[in-house]
Amino acid sequence: MAERKVSVEAEVGLHARPAATFVQTAAKAPFDVSIAKAGGRPVSAKSILSVLALDVRQGEAIVISADGEGAEELLDRLAEIASTV
Amino acid sequence: MDRRDTGSGPAPDEITESPEAQELIPRLLTGTGVSPGAGYGPARLVVGDVPEPAAGSRHDGDAPAERDRAERALDEVAADLEERGARAGGDAEDVLVAQAMMARDPELAASVGLLIDQGVAAPRAIFEAFGKYRDLLAAAGGYLGERVADLDDIRDRVIAVLTGLPIPGIPLDAAEPYVLVARDLAPADTALLPKDLVAAFVTEQGGPTSHTAILARSMGVPAVVGCAGATAVEPGTPVLVDGATGRVRLSPSEDEVADALRAEEARRAVLSAAAGPGATADGHAVPLLANIGGPRDLEAALAAGAEGVGLYRTEFLFLDRDTAPTPEEQEEAYRAVFEAFPHGRVVVRTLDAGADKPLPFLPPPGEEPNPALGERGIRMFRRHPDIMTAQLGALARAVTGATANVEIMAPMVATAQEAAWFAEACRTAGLDSAGIMIEVPSAAIRAADLIEVVDFFSIGTNDLTQYALAADRQVSGVAGLQDPWHPAVLDLIRTAASAASAAGKGCGVCGEAAADPVLACVLVGMGVSSLSMAAPALPWVRAALAAHTLEQCRTAAAAARSSVTPGDAVEAARAELPGLHQLGL
């Protein structure tokens, strides 16, 4: 199981366009990808509704995890999207 | 107008109906007729209210088939949103693509599937599955709270697909022309509306100058606005609309429909008999021009015998896009219009934008509690002179080599200083005929000062009425005041026309008033020198003018101006215009 902990930097938080890009990227993976607020319950990173409902604001930390071939690369990309201002 | 049988009580022929039938929906609704003609077709409702599927509704046990139905409905809605997004572009595309992602959400689909496996019918399963996320977003408030409306919209679309209800939004395809019934229509709603699909418009709100009314007249489609009870009409009900009297008949008999359509044909025949340049019966020339939004309106203008363009609304080039049109793009659009009228007049109105018509590439003018009184028209130009310079430059290049008589005018001018500033800018750009719209009462009252610094006037009666009577065009509650027949408005028009004529200059009218054949005669009688209107109104106005002498028009104008109320003004003018009767007006 690969895991990353990153801080969300976009001004709008993980909402609107950053959230859409994040979910679109996760949805391409053939394996499960999850996202949680630090210490919170993980939800599917492929679900825009679940991601929005987490209500991640600018400066908050998220934990993303996945297991499968190419999981490391995918998490790197997702971490980059989340940490893009 | 005959109001005897348009009251709220049932007409005599309806009294025999069962009490139940009467309770449901009356057979006759009445509103304000704003675009003449008869239209007949099934009602298509654009109301956006999809009822909640009943709690506890179950499917018949075939869970896989029901799941498949739900998945296909979600997919259909997502694909439709994506397609609309691609067509709209810009910020609208982002919103629609995000909505499509919600419709394709795998967790949502899983919740729906789970509910269906428990026996819940697909529409109810959709409602409940969306409800879970709806509650989460609503509880978060702020940005997420605002997404609740997006979510509800998707949910309603999916439920509509599943239950065979009309999908919220204007239908763009249909087997036969329909009567479009709505609360009211916004310009964005109707941007993609094909002309041959709508037999008539009926809206519950809005007045004679609402967007629906203007759109209907420009399309030549009958319309009734301010029609109470319209959105309660059952979808699919056959509806017969009389756009002159404002009567909307539900499920009419075959005879009623045949009579109405026959009368319509007869009126059109009288109209087509009138041809050639606009003139009164005694030969006083009144050029009849068309209002257009761009080259795509030219065909209708030429077909209706327009002698030129009296109002070219250039803002349509600028709306619904992220960046300003390039100088080349502008030049091309302007040249296409100039070339359509090689020997006619083309009056171009510079960009008319403001808080009510915001442009994405201009910073918003800031919070305006009343956009009608805010930074719009020439006021916006003064803040963004680069946009004006680019537009005037493109116009000047398009004029080069054109044989049309091109005139440029600015909207929303209130003072002589603004008029002088604009005229100077036109001359600097190399455009030699610069005029202004008369829409603000101050400009009409001091018309003698303003005409000194410009080459012509064009009266925009919609805004002039709105400002003279302090009655917002968008507020249906004050629609009664929004009447260009009001003697106060007639006085302002007279003042402007007299000032122009004393200076040896022209004063046209390009508002909706020019499209009213009776008022058109009155305007000519007050000294208005040309009339510009939506193309379908041209034959009516041409016929009305040809049926009367200039002297009759003057007498009618004097009679209207000596009245106290708009209603009396119409009646007084009509009494002096005997030729209207044969036109069925």
Side-chain angles (χ1 to χ4, degrees):
Chain A
M1 173 78 82
E3 201 178 272
R4 299 280 185 284
K5 184 173 177 180
V6 287
S7 167
V8 171
E9 294 306 331
E11 197 183 329
V12 295
L14 202 50
H15 294 141
R17 198 178 294 196
T21 312
F22 185 90
V23 171
Q24 278 163 341
T25 306
K28 290 194 188 107
F31 41 80
D32 287 347
V33 187
S34 66
I35 171 174
K37 276 194 182 179
R41 195 176 62 87
V43 299
S44 168
K46 298 180 180 187
S47 162
I48 183 81
L49 292 168
S50 305
V51 170
L52 287 178
L54 282 181
D55 197 11
V56 182
R57 311 283 174 94
Q58 185 182 26
E60 286 190 304
I62 54 167
V63 178
I64 41 181
S65 51
D67 198 1
E69 196 175 331
E72 295 287 348
E73 293 79 358
L74 177 77
L75 291 184
D76 284 342
R77 272 211 305 286
L78 291 176
E80 192 189 323
I81 293 166
S83 60
T84 300
V85 176
Chain B
M1 204 184 299
D2 187 351
R3 293 194 185 276
R4 275 170 303 178
D5 53 357
T6 57
S8 53
D13 62 323
E14 286 158 333
I15 288 173
T16 52
E17 281 182 35
S18 68
E20 290 86 344
Q22 276 184 39
E23 260 173 45
L24 289 172
I25 295 265
R27 287 189 59 218
L28 179 70
L29 304 175
T30 311
T32 308
V34 290
S35 179
Y40 177 69
R44 290 288 287 261
L45 273 83
V46 183
V47 285
D49 288 342
V50 173
E52 175 182 337
S57 58
R58 317 278 296 171
H59 58 75
D60 58 11
D62 189 352
E66 192 75 354
R67 269 207 312 269
D68 188 47
R69 224 161 70 78
E71 275 165 28
R72 272 185 291 131
L74 282 163
D75 190 58
E76 182 182 329
V77 168
D80 179 57
L81 290 166
E82 281 159 354
E83 199 241 344
R84 281 166 191 263
R87 271 194 293 174
D91 289 345
E93 182 169 9
D94 280 351
V95 173
L96 291 167
V97 165
Q99 278 194 306
M101 284 177 70
M102 294 179 189
R104 293 194 196 280
D105 193 295
E107 298 286 304
L108 176 80
S111 306
V112 172
L114 208 60
L115 286 160
I116 290 175
D117 285 346
Q118 292 163 6
V120 178
R124 182 68 196 177
I126 292 284
F127 185 84
E128 289 181 14
F130 270 97
K132 185 179 105 184
Y133 291 101
R134 189 184 196 283
D135 294 345
L136 281 170
L137 298 189
Y143 169 85
L144 287 179
E146 289 166 27
R147 301 281 73 71
V148 168
D150 297 352
L151 205 56
D152 287 350
D153 179 47
I154 308 164
R155 179 197 65 198
D156 288 349
R157 285 169 183 275
V158 179
I159 293 174
V161 168
L162 284 169
T163 56
L165 286 169
I167 296 180
I170 293 182
L172 296 178
D173 55 326
E176 56 179 329
Y178 52 78
V179 173
L180 186 55
V181 181
R183 280 208 192 92
D184 202 356
L185 297 168
D189 289 334
T190 53
L192 300 167
L193 193 64
K195 299 189 178 201
D196 46 2
L197 268 186
V198 185
F201 290 101
V202 178
T203 64
E204 206 157 73
Q205 299 177 351
T209 56
S210 64
H211 286 296
T212 306
I214 293 170
L215 177 82
R217 281 191 290 263
S218 75
M219 289 170 68
V221 170
V224 173
V225 301
C227 183
T231 56
V233 171
E234 197 65 23
T237 307
V239 179
L240 178 63
V241 179
D242 185 331
T245 62
R247 300 175 71 178
V248 176
R249 204 159 252 296
L250 308 181
S251 306
S253 68
E254 275 178 38
D255 286 351
E256 280 176 299
V257 176
D259 284 352
L261 298 181
R262 210 168 26 241
E264 175 72 7
E265 212 172 298
R267 292 207 303 182
R268 301 239 169 233
V270 174
L271 284 178
S272 60
T280 58
D282 53 333
H284 171 73
V286 182
L288 298 180
L289 313 168
N291 292 352
I292 68 168
R296 69 174 190 153
D297 296 334
L298 286 171
E299 198 185 325
L302 289 164
E307 295 164 58
V309 171
L311 172 62
Y312 178 5
R313 299 184 174 98
T314 56
E315 54 272 15
F316 287 103
L317 266 171
F318 294 79
L319 291 173
D320 294 329
R321 51 189 300 161
D322 286 338
T323 53
T326 63
E328 293 73 29
E329 203 179 325
Q330 290 195 45
E331 193 183 325
E332 191 184 329
Y334 303 148
R335 182 169 287 126
V337 175
F338 299 163
E339 283 172 357
F341 293 98
H343 308 296
R345 247 170 90 195
V346 177
V347 185
V348 182
R349 182 177 72 188
T350 55
L351 178 60
D352 188 10
D356 55 337
K357 290 184 250 179
L359 300 175
F361 49 89
L362 286 183
E367 193 60 27
E368 290 188 355
N370 190 342
L373 302 182
E375 212 162 47
R376 48 179 292 210
I378 197 172
R379 304 170 179 183
M380 192 275 303
F381 257 5
R382 296 202 77 154
R383 243 164 63 105
H384 303 285
D386 48 322
I387 299 270
M388 181 174 77
T389 307
Q391 185 172 28
L392 295 181
L395 282 165
R397 284 192 302 281
V399 164
T400 311
T403 55
N405 177 15
V406 177
E407 305 183 327
I408 315 294
M409 65 181 180
M412 201 60 190
V413 173
T415 68
Q417 291 95 311
E418 286 172 345
W421 177 77
F422 180 74
E424 180 58 33
C426 286
R427 286 182 192 116
T428 305
L431 294 157
D432 37 59
S433 182
I436 53 165
M437 298 274 297
I438 299 286
E439 298 165 294
V440 183
S442 62
I445 293 165
R446 300 294 294 194
D449 294 340
L450 277 73
I451 198 67
E452 289 295 313
V453 294
V454 297
D455 300 307
F456 67 95
F457 284 160
S458 181
I459 302 177
T461 46
N462 304 348
D463 275 332
L464 185 61
T465 306
Q466 144 166 295
Y467 296 130
L469 289 143
D472 193 321
R473 287 164 67 182
Q474 310 293 331
V475 177
S476 63
V478 295
L481 289 169
Q482 181 53 237
D483 190 335
W485 277 102
H486 199 288
V489 179
L490 300 180
D491 281 355
L492 289 171
I493 295 172
R494 166 79 185 162
T495 304
S498 300
S501 146
K505 295 175 180 175
C507 176
V509 167
C510 65
E512 294 298 309
D516 172 344
V518 188
L519 190 44
C521 294
V522 168
L523 294 172
V524 168
M526 291 195 296
V528 166
S529 55
S530 65
L531 298 169
S532 189
M533 65 208 76
L538 284 163
W540 299 89
V541 170
R542 184 182 293 117
L545 284 180
H548 301 99
T549 63
L550 180 58
E551 200 46 48
Q552 281 176 309
C553 292
R554 284 183 177 145
T555 311
R561 286 182 62 223
S562 13
S563 304
V564 175
T565 69
D568 289 349
V570 182
E571 291 316 315
R574 278 181 169 280
E576 304 295 338
L577 299 168
L580 295 171
H581 184 69
Q582 58 171 5
L583 295 168
L585 289 168

